[in-house]
Amino acid sequence: FSVRSAEVTKGFDANGARVTVTPRLNLEDNDRDVVINYNNDKTNVKLTASADNQEVTISQQVDGDNRIAPTINNQGDISVEWERRLSDDSSLTATLMPNDNLNVEWRDAAWTANVNMPIDGTNINGANVSIKRDVSF
């Protein structure tokens, strides 16, 4: 057998929040990074950092049905995710990456529909649509 990657997670509570630290190592590519997660009630902050790349996501549960999560990285790339709970087993998630794409995912029980639309400035240059259903035997 061979080991391709290793990670360990350590968590602790601090002032009513949960903090976890997860160092990761990919032995095949010799890539190393760390994921630090801070969760306090309706707010979650996730920092992923390696020697070359850093990214932070701040997620806020606005109310019982809506969550918004902007992400920025050290290259200056920004994305914004909005998740809307439609019912107990149905949700709509839209992720916008300016000048890149808009991805919309609709989950409805066992069904998932994805629409990915490439964006170039203010133009949408075509859409990729996929639909799938989870089937259990």
Side-chain angles (χ1 to χ4, degrees):
F1 90 97
S2 65
V3 177
R4 296 182 181 161
S5 64
E7 69 179 56
V8 63
T9 300
K10 175 64 177 169
F12 58 93
D13 296 320
N15 297 327
R18 181 75 178 159
V19 178
T20 59
V21 179
T22 306
R24 304 183 299 190
L25 172 62
N26 181 326
L27 297 170
E28 290 180 332
D29 302 333
N30 200 27
D31 289 335
R32 292 168 238 163
D33 68 2
V34 63
V35 179
I36 301 170
N37 203 43
Y38 171 88
N39 193 349
N40 187 359
D41 192 26
K42 296 180 180 181
T43 303
N44 183 283
V45 178
K46 179 181 176 183
L47 172 67
T48 304
S50 68
D52 299 324
N53 299 303
Q54 301 83 42
E55 178 178 272
V56 64
T57 300
I58 302 170
S59 177
Q60 178 68 42
Q61 190 70 40
V62 179
D63 58 29
D65 294 329
N66 294 284
R67 181 184 60 81
I68 190 162
T71 299
I72 188 167
N73 67 24
N74 63 307
Q75 306 296 317
D77 299 324
I78 297 172
S79 67
V80 177
E81 180 180 274
W82 170 60
E83 181 181 20
R84 168 84 175 161
R85 187 174 72 91
L86 304 172
S87 67
D88 287 342
D89 59 355
S90 179
S91 66
L92 184 69
T93 304
T95 305
L96 173 64
M97 297 177 68
N99 293 321
D100 189 5
N101 71 64
L102 172 63
N103 189 61
V104 178
E105 179 181 82
W106 177 22
R107 292 183 176 265
D108 191 11
W111 289 93
T112 302
N114 279 295
V115 179
N116 184 280
M117 296 167 277
I119 297 173
D120 183 14
T122 58
N123 298 322
I124 296 176
N125 298 321
N128 298 312
V129 179
S130 67
I131 299 172
K132 71 177 183 176
R133 178 176 167 84
D134 291 335
V135 178
S136 299
F137 293 96

